[in-house]
Amino acid sequence: MLSAIRSQRPTNTFRRVAISSTHRIAMAPPKRNSSSLPAGYVEDKSKGAMLRFQDSLPRLPVPTLEETAKRYLKSLHPIISASELEKSTAAVTEFIKPGGVGSKLQQKLVAKAQDPKTKNWMYEWWNDAAYLSYRDPVVPYVSYFYSHRDDPKRRNPAKRAAALTSAVLEFKKLVDSGSLEPEYMKKLPICMDSYKWMFNASRVAAKPADYPIKFSHEENKHIVVIRKNQFFKIPHEVAGKQLNASELEAQFNRVYQIAKRVSPVGALTSENRDVWTDARELLISASPKNKAALEAIESSSFVVCLDDASPVTLEERAHQYWHGDGANRWYDKPLQFIVNDNGTSGFMGEHSMMDGTPTHRLNDYINDLIFRNKIDLSDPSVRSDLPEPQPINFDITPEIQSEIDRAVTDFNNVIGQHQLAVQAYQAYGKGLIKQFKCSPDAYVQMIIQLAYFKMYGKNRPTYESAATRRFQLGRTETCRSVSDESVAWCKSMADHSVDDKSRVDLFRNAIAAHIEYISAASDGKGVDRHLFGLKKLLEPGEEVPAIYKDPAYGYSSSWYLSTSQLSSEFFNGYGWSQVIDGGFGIAYMINENSINFNVVSKGLGSERMSYYLNEAAGEMRDLLVPTLEPPKAKL
């Protein structure tokens, strides 16, 4: 069992969009003041509304060795054999013994966490290891997407792009001015620091690690539009006045008129990060014009991609927003809004400095403005002195063209290895799940566990991202979704000798176990980040403790299922890739009357997994509907 992962592509198992509905993050929160919060939270109004609680947020805690050891061994029990568990237990016992290596590493970690200069002991380690040092292409392995609901009033792509851009600029004002209200988790304010990487920012390819770059929003009031692989710079403010929707529509229409297909320089951003680093240096050395072009793109407020595609099905849309054609993009930008020729739209996010919750809020906000008529898009006036969209041209030498050709080939090879399926389950959603008195997120996690069990006859290590943003600079922690309780329940569903009452009891136990783990993870008490942090403190040349050499350590953090939830009534899709070649990436949305699954794998049978998700959801409904209390008779 444990040797199966050794031949797989080395992967980063942590780069996932983070939210759990067990701890819902309030996306449009009412304004609160510190008087309604627990002791310790202090408002600093000089920081603006968005960051007013930032300095008083608690620090990410360091769990005790004993806590982590107990939780870690408990997580191993359902996924390895008794003899393997015995070896793992011995390694853990040795690691945590008084005066042992684990104890010494723990002392170092606690000291780091308590250092007044350290806001979050994980932050820099995590950004580096999980994202910036990661060398595989950001697409498809790091980036993620949202597919927007159709806008029946704006089938024209220029009109749709103008509405989206207008709404995004409204959100941008709130972020730039610091007046955006913080989000809350369990009624507590959470970290808003990552919003600074939303606009006028970019990831930059470099060796041995990439780095983020941030530009002044005061000095860079432009967007970049891409059409037929050609880049255009369009100011979104002229003479001190923001372009209205009609003016933006005119600018987008002009791009549609003048764009000519050119060599896709953007394809370079789809490459392995070391390959792209070398190509970027080639670009810069080839011509001063190229350096200026790069800065125009990287400094832009955000990117709008006008694709010459017309996706219809949910799978077609998912492919378009998750990766597109590999050419009409700049994958290093954190925000890319994609509009197709048939007026459909979506979003693609680069993951390194922001998790999914900020961009989820952004996309939910802009669609709310548009669909609920909360933004005035009716002004018909178009100024006559608006500058033309300015082409951003590159000087492309034969050597650079060769790099572009290689990038296109490599992109097509990588994407061609992946299978994507969408299960748009319409039978019920969180409305019925709540009637079952279940956490919707924990419930859907059990759908996924049962589906995997149906497909493989066993359960394997599963990752669900848990948000830790209630701590300063918090990002995510791992929720290990497989428990003794979930395995017992999955087995009962395949055992005809088990009656439904027993199955329901086992199901309730599985739900409770999941909620306990994800609650602990969101409180900074998971095992994966703690063990990672301890290992980072080993001195160069110091012997690696047995706990890390134990095959169970690698196996238990090989995510055969990588899962995460973000839900919006304005989205009809959301997703990203698997994180190991032998696993699935399953993104899901839980709406009032539907559940949407996006299933990605490297040739493992994504369509089959989609089928089993549907079947599992139906069986769980049939199991639990008889437990509902009958409606009370009306007098």
Side-chain angles (χ1 to χ4, degrees):
M1 175 198 296
L2 299 181
S3 62
I5 64 168
R6 291 175 187 156
S7 63
Q8 293 166 346
R9 175 178 60 84
T11 55
N12 172 325
T13 57
F14 314 117
R15 45 184 168 76
R16 283 294 152 249
V17 190
I19 188 173
S20 165
S21 66
T22 306
H23 299 302
R24 292 298 298 165
I25 291 176
M27 289 298 172
K31 185 165 184 176
R32 303 185 65 183
N33 56 49
S34 57
S35 63
S36 64
L37 295 169
Y41 290 90
V42 179
E43 280 186 291
D44 181 352
K45 294 183 179 178
S46 70
K47 297 284 182 70
M50 185 170 78
L51 299 175
R52 69 184 187 274
F53 297 115
Q54 193 69 23
D55 290 343
S56 65
L57 294 179
R59 304 281 184 94
L60 182 70
V62 178
T64 67
L65 277 180
E66 292 71 25
E67 281 179 307
T68 293
K70 182 179 179 182
R71 188 175 294 280
Y72 173 61
L73 289 173
K74 186 178 180 182
S75 77
L76 295 184
H77 187 264
I79 58 173
I80 61 176
S81 68
S83 61
E84 290 165 340
L85 184 63
E86 189 177 338
K87 293 175 185 175
S88 298
T89 302
V92 170
T93 303
E94 175 69 19
F95 185 67
I96 68 169
K97 71 180 182 182
V101 63
S103 179
K104 293 173 184 175
L105 294 173
Q106 177 78 352
Q107 288 174 10
K108 289 183 182 180
L109 188 57
V110 170
K112 178 180 173 68
Q114 292 176 347
D115 184 339
K117 298 176 185 175
T118 303
K119 291 185 177 181
N120 184 310
W121 59 264
M122 268 293 299
Y123 183 73
E124 290 183 1
W125 283 343
W126 196 250
N127 289 354
D128 178 70
Y131 299 105
L132 298 174
S133 289
Y134 184 70
R135 299 288 85 189
D136 274 356
V138 294
V139 56
Y141 297 117
V142 179
S143 301
Y144 60 98
F145 76 89
Y146 309 132
S147 177
H148 296 152
R149 204 173 83 192
D150 286 352
D151 182 353
K153 293 182 180 178
R154 297 171 185 87
R155 297 291 187 186
N156 176 281
K159 191 176 288 293
R160 178 66 170 144
L164 286 170
T165 301
S166 296
V168 175
L169 289 172
E170 292 306 303
F171 194 85
K172 185 178 189 295
K173 288 177 191 173
L174 298 175
V175 173
D176 289 347
S177 66
S179 57
L180 184 71
E181 182 65 13
E183 292 144 33
Y184 297 87
M185 180 188 290
K186 293 197 285 188
K187 299 183 179 180
L188 298 175
I190 63 176
C191 183
M192 299 293 287
D193 180 80
S194 65
Y195 275 83
K196 70 187 179 191
W197 299 109
M198 184 172 278
F199 298 104
N200 304 103
S202 185
R203 178 174 180 154
V204 178
K207 294 179 183 179
D210 294 357
Y211 60 91
I213 188 168
K214 173 73 176 178
F215 295 85
S216 165
H217 66 85
E218 295 283 357
E219 298 171 11
N220 296 281
K221 298 182 178 182
H222 67 279
I223 61 172
V224 162
V225 179
I226 318 176
R227 174 69 175 175
K228 296 185 184 295
N229 313 331
Q230 189 175 10
F231 296 84
F232 295 87
K233 181 178 180 179
I234 297 179
H236 54 71
E237 184 178 302
V238 173
K241 182 183 176 185
Q242 181 179 307
L243 273 65
N244 64 36
S246 297
E247 291 174 328
L248 287 166
E249 183 180 345
Q251 296 288 65
F252 286 122
N253 272 323
R254 189 70 183 126
V255 169
Y256 278 110
Q257 292 165 5
I258 64 177
K260 296 177 181 177
R261 191 167 301 281
V262 298
S263 182
V265 179
L268 294 171
T269 63
S270 73
E271 260 293 4
N272 169 282
R273 303 308 292 177
D274 287 341
V275 174
W276 168 213
T277 299
D278 293 340
R280 190 174 188 275
E281 290 175 0
L282 266 181
L283 268 176
I284 292 170
S285 63
S287 167
K289 183 194 292 187
N290 292 347
K291 185 176 182 181
L294 286 170
E295 183 164 326
I297 296 167
E298 291 167 352
S299 65
S300 64
S301 293
F302 51 91
V303 172
V304 178
C305 307
L306 303 177
D307 283 9
D308 51 358
S310 296
V312 174
T313 69
L314 295 182
E315 283 84 1
E316 288 171 349
R317 296 174 194 227
H319 279 293
Q320 198 65 31
Y321 308 136
W322 177 35
H323 54 76
D325 64 0
N328 205 57
R329 298 283 185 277
W330 195 263
Y331 293 111
D332 289 355
K333 287 292 284 184
L335 307 180
Q336 295 191 92
F337 296 90
I338 299 151
V339 179
N340 298 299
D341 284 348
N342 60 354
T344 53
S345 71
F347 167 85
M348 182 181 200
E350 197 284 310
H351 206 337
S352 58
M353 300 307 293
M354 282 188 299
D355 293 312
T357 43
T359 59
H360 168 262
R361 182 178 180 184
L362 163 65
N363 279 267
D364 202 62
Y365 177 94
I366 63 176
N367 281 287
D368 181 60
L369 289 188
I370 293 168
F371 281 102
R372 293 183 175 148
N373 299 312
K374 296 179 180 179
I375 183 172
D376 184 5
L377 302 172
S378 63
D379 185 351
S381 62
V382 177
R383 285 172 278 177
S384 60
D385 59 347
L386 292 180
E388 277 269 297
Q390 177 187 341
I392 300 172
N393 295 320
F394 289 88
D395 283 341
I396 300 176
T397 64
E399 193 175 6
I400 292 170
Q401 186 57 52
S402 177
E403 290 295 321
I404 293 171
D405 293 342
R406 173 166 69 165
V408 170
T409 299
D410 289 348
F411 171 87
N412 289 330
N413 286 340
V414 169
I415 297 302
Q417 296 169 25
H418 288 78
Q419 296 175 334
L420 182 150
V422 177
Q423 174 59 233
Y425 187 77
Q426 302 292 325
Y428 63 94
K430 67 182 176 185
L432 182 61
I433 295 170
K434 287 180 177 178
Q435 290 182 47
F436 295 148
K437 296 182 171 58
C438 289
S439 151
D441 183 76
Y443 183 98
V444 175
Q445 282 288 317
M446 293 309 116
I447 293 178
I448 294 169
Q449 288 302 312
L450 182 56
Y452 194 91
F453 187 86
K454 284 173 170 289
M455 190 161 176
Y456 289 100
K458 64 172 68 176
N459 298 98
R460 288 193 176 106
T462 301
Y463 168 96
E464 181 187 3
S465 55
T468 56
R469 280 179 59 201
R470 74 181 191 85
F471 303 106
Q472 286 193 44
L473 302 183
R475 293 198 65 168
T476 65
E477 171 60 280
T478 299
C479 173
R480 294 184 167 210
S481 296
V482 178
S483 64
D484 286 326
E485 292 84 354
S486 68
V487 171
W489 171 69
C490 286
K491 288 180 177 177
S492 79
M493 294 296 286
D495 185 347
H496 298 298
S497 69
V498 180
D499 61 74
D500 280 356
K501 182 182 182 306
S502 299
R503 287 172 174 165
V504 170
D505 291 342
L506 290 168
F507 173 76
R508 297 288 180 193
N509 292 341
I511 291 286
H514 187 82
I515 291 173
E516 190 281 328
Y517 199 118
I518 202 162
S519 298
S522 293
D523 288 339
K525 301 283 188 175
V527 304
D528 289 86
R529 304 300 189 259
H530 187 200
L531 291 174
F532 170 84
L534 293 170
K535 190 178 182 184
K536 288 290 289 184
L537 289 167
L538 288 168
E539 298 293 336
E542 186 176 355
E543 184 178 355
V544 176
I547 185 175
Y548 296 111
K549 293 189 282 189
D550 177 18
Y553 177 73
Y555 174 71
S556 69
S557 57
S558 294
W559 307 122
Y560 287 83
L561 284 165
S562 176
T563 71
S564 187
Q565 183 217 154
L566 284 169
S567 299
S568 171
E569 298 291 345
F570 296 116
F571 302 170
N572 56 31
Y574 142 66
W576 24 260
S577 81
Q578 79 293 334
V579 297
I580 66 170
D581 289 355
F584 292 89
I586 301 182
Y588 56 98
M589 300 190 300
I590 313 171
N591 291 331
E592 188 63 26
N593 297 303
S594 64
I595 309 170
N596 181 290
F597 298 93
N598 192 85
V599 183
V600 173
S601 71
K602 266 192 170 181
L604 298 182
S606 296
E607 287 283 358
R608 284 193 170 192
M609 178 57 73
S610 174
Y611 174 86
Y612 285 124
L613 288 165
N614 182 301
E615 188 173 73
E619 288 182 9
M620 287 167 62
R621 175 197 56 197
D622 294 346
L623 177 68
L624 292 168
V625 163
T627 69
L628 292 176
E629 295 177 5
K632 294 179 181 178
K634 293 182 180 179
L635 297 177

